[in-house]
Amino acid sequence: MYKQEQVFIQGESTIAATMTTPHGSQSPFPAIILIGGTGGLDRDGNGTGFKSNLYKDLAEWLTTQGFVTLRFDKRGIGKSGGNRNTVGLSGLVDDVATMIRYLKSVSQDILLLGHSEGCIVATLAAERESVSGLILLSGAGAALKTSMQEQAHFLLDEVKRTKGIKGKLLRLSLNEKSVIGKQQKLFERVTATDQDTMRIQLMKFPAKWLREHLAYTDESLRDRLVQLNVPTLALTGDRDVQTDVHHLDELDALHAEHVEVQKIRNMDHMLKHFDGEMSILDVKKQYRAQLTEPLHPELQHQLHEWLIRHNWIS
């Protein structure tokens, strides 16, 4: 159905990526760059003790739809060069811009698909290099600071609702001061320094990365999506505990004709079907239980229909 090859793209650091190309006579194929979320997951969506193959599955499915896809290891992860702790948000955007330029020798139409933090990176990269469209999964129009704050409040609300001994023990260590106060101190610390990294409880923390994220608000990111004026599809599941699905309402309220939003019923942050109780305390356990589950079928349907409407596939 497709051929797959590893490529190395030279930017500020060497970017290691996997390119999949459909078999067939059509040339050139439209192309999609997949941009992953926060953390140390590799180009396939896998990390230590966590093998979801989320981005591999997405890339391969998109290739069956007729797209060249490029998924990559972020700096300092997998086979890519550079340092993951010093790259910063601006460096992540630089790398995507480098890949857009690389693919322009292969394809006339290039789309960016961002997941979670990748939605922010895709939005900013599209300002740097022209693209034909944006697909934003589980994070459109929401700044990282907002998502962090919402997750903190969701955690506290869940702790308050937890009954019995477990609830009492949780409330001893997880209260407003320890969660909200600690988070606010983190924001203050990273904005008070110009260093790339700092020590947080003896662990190296990417201060530059968070500091650069704090420069963006929900409103500024939504305004950018409107001003970009390229076809944009924003999808979030209503069982997502990491990104509030109601941010899609705020994006939709701007009435930008080129921006389409879709809420996916019973889809979580990992783009899988989930109809259980939403819990941020048990979310890692939830994700691990879903590792072998397929992409949400409604997600695939909505992506397919949008791609047809914009004549990228037939």
Side-chain angles (χ1 to χ4, degrees):
M1 292 289 290
Y2 56 86
K3 67 175 182 178
Q4 182 167 284
E5 61 179 324
Q6 180 165 263
V7 296
F8 292 92
I9 303 165
Q10 191 58 51
E12 188 173 321
S13 297
T14 300
I15 305 163
T18 298
M19 182 182 290
T20 56
T21 306
H23 287 309
S25 58
Q26 180 184 345
S27 182
F29 293 99
I32 295 182
I33 300 171
L34 281 73
I35 308 166
T38 57
L41 300 183
D42 66 13
R43 72 187 81 177
D44 291 336
N46 301 329
T48 304
F50 186 84
K51 188 174 182 180
S52 72
N53 280 326
L54 173 61
Y55 304 135
K56 181 177 185 287
D57 291 345
L58 262 175
E60 292 178 350
W61 179 79
L62 288 164
T63 305
T64 67
Q65 304 299 300
F67 288 87
V68 170
T69 66
L70 192 68
R71 63 187 192 272
F72 64 99
D73 293 333
K74 291 182 289 186
R75 287 195 215 179
I77 294 173
K79 295 183 179 180
S80 286
N83 187 325
R84 60 178 291 194
N85 287 318
T86 62
V87 57
L89 173 61
S90 55
L92 297 175
V93 174
D94 289 343
D95 290 346
V96 173
T98 297
M99 284 181 282
I100 294 170
R101 292 192 295 271
Y102 174 84
L103 277 180
K104 283 183 176 177
S105 65
V106 177
S107 178
Q108 296 173 349
D109 282 312
I110 299 171
L111 288 74
L112 302 181
L113 183 155
H115 173 245
S116 194
E117 182 199 10
C119 294
I120 299 170
V121 177
T123 301
L124 299 178
E127 289 188 308
R128 295 270 303 277
E129 296 286 337
S130 62
V131 295
S132 297
L134 295 173
I135 300 169
L136 307 177
L137 307 179
S138 304
L144 182 72
K145 181 180 181 180
T146 298
S147 295
M148 290 176 67
Q149 290 174 324
E150 288 174 344
Q151 288 172 35
H153 285 289
F154 192 101
L155 172 64
L156 289 175
D157 288 343
E158 184 176 346
V159 168
K160 290 176 183 176
R161 296 193 309 270
T162 303
K163 298 178 181 179
I165 297 297
K166 180 182 178 181
K168 290 180 180 179
L169 291 173
L170 284 171
R171 286 187 284 276
L172 288 175
S173 58
L174 296 175
N175 51 58
E176 188 160 333
K177 181 178 180 180
S178 67
V179 177
I180 305 296
K182 186 177 178 180
Q183 188 179 79
Q184 185 57 40
K185 286 181 180 178
L186 174 62
F187 294 154
E188 291 169 358
R189 281 192 65 185
V190 299
T191 53
T193 182
D194 61 359
Q195 299 298 306
D196 289 347
T197 64
M198 62 171 46
R199 293 283 174 179
I200 304 287
Q201 294 179 337
L202 303 180
M203 299 290 290
K204 188 176 285 188
F205 181 84
K208 177 183 177 182
W209 168 79
L210 181 55
R211 184 170 61 250
E212 291 181 343
H213 263 294
L214 295 178
Y216 296 96
T217 63
D218 300 351
E219 293 78 12
S220 70
L221 291 171
R222 291 195 295 266
D223 287 346
R224 282 172 164 80
L225 291 175
V226 172
Q227 292 165 12
L228 283 169
N229 197 29
V230 297
T232 299
L233 176 64
L235 292 159
T236 304
D238 67 359
R239 311 297 288 175
D240 193 326
V241 297
Q242 293 182 246
T243 303
D244 194 329
V245 70
H246 294 104
H247 288 300
L248 292 185
D249 296 330
E250 298 163 350
L251 186 55
D252 197 35
L254 298 178
H255 302 294
E257 291 186 4
H258 61 281
V259 178
E260 180 177 337
V261 305
Q262 292 286 348
K263 299 176 183 177
I264 306 295
R265 186 170 179 269
N266 290 336
M267 185 176 82
D268 64 13
H269 195 71
M270 295 300 288
L271 313 180
K272 305 291 180 70
H273 179 272
F274 179 70
D275 57 10
E277 182 178 353
M278 293 171 66
S279 167
I280 203 162
L281 288 169
D282 295 327
V283 73
K284 289 184 179 179
K285 179 181 177 181
Q286 173 193 321
Y287 293 163
R288 292 186 190 284
Q290 298 173 312
L291 290 180
T292 60
E293 296 295 319
L295 295 168
H296 197 291
E298 183 63 18
L299 169 71
Q300 296 180 61
H301 173 73
Q302 292 294 343
L303 281 171
H304 180 80
E305 292 297 309
W306 182 78
L307 293 167
I308 288 176
R309 284 198 297 276
H310 290 282
N311 300 312
W312 285 308
I313 58 175
S314 57

mmCIF file of all heavy atoms in Angstrom, residues 52 54 57 266-274 290-296:
data_model
loop_
_atom_site.group_PDB
_atom_site.id
_atom_site.type_symbol
_atom_site.label_atom_id
_atom_site.label_comp_id
_atom_site.label_asym_id
_atom_site.label_seq_id
_atom_site.Cartn_x
_atom_site.Cartn_y
_atom_site.Cartn_z
ATOM 1 N N SER A 52 2.306 3.263 22.297
ATOM 2 C CA SER A 52 0.959 3.459 21.751
ATOM 3 C C SER A 52 0.924 3.399 20.227
ATOM 4 O O SER A 52 -0.111 3.104 19.638
ATOM 5 C CB SER A 52 0.410 4.815 22.200
ATOM 6 O OG SER A 52 1.065 5.875 21.522
ATOM 7 N N LEU A 54 0.701 5.788 18.390
ATOM 8 C CA LEU A 54 -0.358 6.723 17.990
ATOM 9 C C LEU A 54 -0.020 7.436 16.683
ATOM 10 O O LEU A 54 -0.834 7.488 15.757
ATOM 11 C CB LEU A 54 -0.583 7.751 19.102
ATOM 12 C CG LEU A 54 -1.544 8.906 18.773
ATOM 13 C CD1 LEU A 54 -2.932 8.361 18.446
ATOM 14 C CD2 LEU A 54 -1.607 9.889 19.934
ATOM 15 N N ASP A 57 0.295 5.015 13.681
ATOM 16 C CA ASP A 57 -1.031 4.626 13.184
ATOM 17 C C ASP A 57 -1.666 5.755 12.381
ATOM 18 O O ASP A 57 -2.269 5.515 11.316
ATOM 19 C CB ASP A 57 -1.945 4.233 14.345
ATOM 20 C CG ASP A 57 -1.520 2.936 15.017
ATOM 21 O OD1 ASP A 57 -0.699 2.197 14.430
ATOM 22 O OD2 ASP A 57 -2.000 2.667 16.132
ATOM 23 N N ASN A 266 -17.160 10.577 23.007
ATOM 24 C CA ASN A 266 -16.465 9.431 23.601
ATOM 25 C C ASN A 266 -15.066 9.225 22.997
ATOM 26 O O ASN A 266 -14.650 8.095 22.738
ATOM 27 C CB ASN A 266 -17.295 8.148 23.454
ATOM 28 C CG ASN A 266 -18.540 8.152 24.323
ATOM 29 O OD1 ASN A 266 -18.590 8.846 25.339
ATOM 30 N ND2 ASN A 266 -19.545 7.407 23.926
ATOM 31 N N MET A 267 -14.348 10.332 22.791
ATOM 32 C CA MET A 267 -12.938 10.244 22.391
ATOM 33 C C MET A 267 -12.093 10.948 23.436
ATOM 34 O O MET A 267 -12.445 12.024 23.913
ATOM 35 C CB MET A 267 -12.699 10.875 21.013
ATOM 36 C CG MET A 267 -11.258 10.685 20.515
ATOM 37 S SD MET A 267 -10.965 11.312 18.837
ATOM 38 C CE MET A 267 -10.715 13.080 19.214
ATOM 39 N N ASP A 268 -10.948 10.336 23.798
ATOM 40 C CA ASP A 268 -10.077 10.928 24.803
ATOM 41 C C ASP A 268 -8.877 11.608 24.142
ATOM 42 O O ASP A 268 -8.823 11.764 22.919
ATOM 43 C CB ASP A 268 -9.650 9.888 25.838
ATOM 44 C CG ASP A 268 -8.791 8.768 25.242
ATOM 45 O OD1 ASP A 268 -8.309 8.897 24.098
ATOM 46 O OD2 ASP A 268 -8.591 7.743 25.937
ATOM 47 N N HIS A 269 -7.906 12.008 24.952
ATOM 48 C CA HIS A 269 -6.766 12.775 24.456
ATOM 49 C C HIS A 269 -5.869 11.955 23.532
ATOM 50 O O HIS A 269 -5.174 12.510 22.678
ATOM 51 C CB HIS A 269 -5.940 13.291 25.641
ATOM 52 C CG HIS A 269 -4.966 14.360 25.288
ATOM 53 N ND1 HIS A 269 -5.342 15.639 24.948
ATOM 54 C CD2 HIS A 269 -3.602 14.341 25.207
ATOM 55 C CE1 HIS A 269 -4.273 16.376 24.689
ATOM 56 N NE2 HIS A 269 -3.199 15.608 24.833
ATOM 57 N N MET A 270 -5.889 10.638 23.707
ATOM 58 C CA MET A 270 -5.064 9.762 22.876
ATOM 59 C C MET A 270 -5.795 9.319 21.615
ATOM 60 O O MET A 270 -5.367 8.394 20.932
ATOM 61 C CB MET A 270 -4.605 8.549 23.691
ATOM 62 C CG MET A 270 -3.685 8.909 24.849
ATOM 63 S SD MET A 270 -2.175 9.743 24.313
ATOM 64 C CE MET A 270 -1.307 8.386 23.551
ATOM 65 N N LEU A 271 -6.909 9.976 21.326
ATOM 66 C CA LEU A 271 -7.664 9.774 20.078
ATOM 67 C C LEU A 271 -8.273 8.375 20.012
ATOM 68 O O LEU A 271 -8.480 7.824 18.921
ATOM 69 C CB LEU A 271 -6.791 10.039 18.850
ATOM 70 C CG LEU A 271 -5.960 11.328 18.878
ATOM 71 C CD1 LEU A 271 -5.136 11.452 17.599
ATOM 72 C CD2 LEU A 271 -6.838 12.561 19.066
ATOM 73 N N LYS A 272 -8.569 7.816 21.179
ATOM 74 C CA LYS A 272 -9.174 6.486 21.261
ATOM 75 C C LYS A 272 -10.590 6.594 21.836
ATOM 76 O O LYS A 272 -10.943 7.576 22.498
ATOM 77 C CB LYS A 272 -8.335 5.573 22.173
ATOM 78 C CG LYS A 272 -6.857 5.460 21.793
ATOM 79 C CD LYS A 272 -6.649 4.720 20.498
ATOM 80 C CE LYS A 272 -5.183 4.602 20.131
ATOM 81 N NZ LYS A 272 -4.424 3.697 21.004
ATOM 82 N N HIS A 273 -11.392 5.558 21.597
ATOM 83 C CA HIS A 273 -12.734 5.513 22.176
ATOM 84 C C HIS A 273 -12.633 5.289 23.680
ATOM 85 O O HIS A 273 -11.897 4.421 24.154
ATOM 86 C CB HIS A 273 -13.545 4.385 21.544
ATOM 87 C CG HIS A 273 -14.929 4.260 22.109
ATOM 88 N ND1 HIS A 273 -15.208 3.499 23.223
ATOM 89 C CD2 HIS A 273 -16.110 4.835 21.728
ATOM 90 C CE1 HIS A 273 -16.503 3.587 23.502
ATOM 91 N NE2 HIS A 273 -17.067 4.384 22.623
ATOM 92 N N PHE A 274 -13.364 6.123 24.438
ATOM 93 C CA PHE A 274 -13.408 5.967 25.889
ATOM 94 C C PHE A 274 -14.744 6.477 26.384
ATOM 95 O O PHE A 274 -15.120 7.626 26.133
ATOM 96 C CB PHE A 274 -12.275 6.744 26.570
ATOM 97 C CG PHE A 274 -12.290 6.641 28.072
ATOM 98 C CD1 PHE A 274 -11.966 5.454 28.698
ATOM 99 C CD2 PHE A 274 -12.651 7.727 28.860
ATOM 100 C CE1 PHE A 274 -11.997 5.340 30.081
ATOM 101 C CE2 PHE A 274 -12.685 7.634 30.243
ATOM 102 C CZ PHE A 274 -12.351 6.424 30.858
ATOM 103 N N GLN A 290 -5.427 1.145 26.775
ATOM 104 C CA GLN A 290 -5.910 1.362 25.405
ATOM 105 C C GLN A 290 -4.819 1.210 24.343
ATOM 106 O O GLN A 290 -5.085 1.464 23.169
ATOM 107 C CB GLN A 290 -6.456 2.792 25.268
ATOM 108 C CG GLN A 290 -7.640 3.125 26.142
ATOM 109 C CD GLN A 290 -7.949 4.606 26.036
ATOM 110 O OE1 GLN A 290 -7.063 5.449 26.140
ATOM 111 N NE2 GLN A 290 -9.204 4.927 25.808
ATOM 112 N N LEU A 291 -3.638 0.807 24.731
ATOM 113 C CA LEU A 291 -2.490 0.863 23.823
ATOM 114 C C LEU A 291 -2.741 0.150 22.500
ATOM 115 O O LEU A 291 -2.245 0.576 21.455
ATOM 116 C CB LEU A 291 -1.252 0.294 24.510
ATOM 117 C CG LEU A 291 -0.672 1.142 25.652
ATOM 118 C CD1 LEU A 291 0.556 0.469 26.247
ATOM 119 C CD2 LEU A 291 -0.319 2.545 25.167
ATOM 120 N N THR A 292 -3.490 -0.928 22.527
ATOM 121 C CA THR A 292 -3.711 -1.693 21.292
ATOM 122 C C THR A 292 -5.014 -1.317 20.586
ATOM 123 O O THR A 292 -5.344 -1.902 19.549
ATOM 124 C CB THR A 292 -3.712 -3.201 21.583
ATOM 125 O OG1 THR A 292 -4.761 -3.501 22.525
ATOM 126 C CG2 THR A 292 -2.373 -3.639 22.160
ATOM 127 N N GLU A 293 -5.741 -0.348 21.138
ATOM 128 C CA GLU A 293 -7.013 0.057 20.532
ATOM 129 C C GLU A 293 -6.765 0.884 19.271
ATOM 130 O O GLU A 293 -5.779 1.619 19.179
ATOM 131 C CB GLU A 293 -7.841 0.875 21.529
ATOM 132 C CG GLU A 293 -8.275 0.122 22.768
ATOM 133 C CD GLU A 293 -9.240 -1.001 22.443
ATOM 134 O OE1 GLU A 293 -10.132 -0.793 21.591
ATOM 135 O OE2 GLU A 293 -9.093 -2.091 23.021
ATOM 136 N N PRO A 294 -7.658 0.806 18.274
ATOM 137 C CA PRO A 294 -7.491 1.594 17.049
ATOM 138 C C PRO A 294 -7.860 3.058 17.262
ATOM 139 O O PRO A 294 -8.455 3.422 18.290
ATOM 140 C CB PRO A 294 -8.476 0.927 16.080
ATOM 141 C CG PRO A 294 -9.568 0.396 16.975
ATOM 142 C CD PRO A 294 -8.865 -0.049 18.234
ATOM 143 N N LEU A 295 -7.510 3.891 16.311
ATOM 144 C CA LEU A 295 -7.955 5.283 16.323
ATOM 145 C C LEU A 295 -9.479 5.331 16.348
ATOM 146 O O LEU A 295 -10.150 4.451 15.802
ATOM 147 C CB LEU A 295 -7.444 6.011 15.078
ATOM 148 C CG LEU A 295 -5.930 6.180 14.953
ATOM 149 C CD1 LEU A 295 -5.581 6.656 13.547
ATOM 150 C CD2 LEU A 295 -5.401 7.152 15.992
ATOM 151 N N HIS A 296 -10.014 6.358 16.989
ATOM 152 C CA HIS A 296 -11.465 6.486 17.088
ATOM 153 C C HIS A 296 -12.077 6.517 15.686
ATOM 154 O O HIS A 296 -11.663 7.318 14.835
ATOM 155 C CB HIS A 296 -11.817 7.772 17.847
ATOM 156 C CG HIS A 296 -13.213 7.803 18.358
ATOM 157 N ND1 HIS A 296 -14.309 7.892 17.531
ATOM 158 C CD2 HIS A 296 -13.710 7.761 19.631
ATOM 159 C CE1 HIS A 296 -15.410 7.909 18.257
ATOM 160 N NE2 HIS A 296 -15.071 7.818 19.536
#
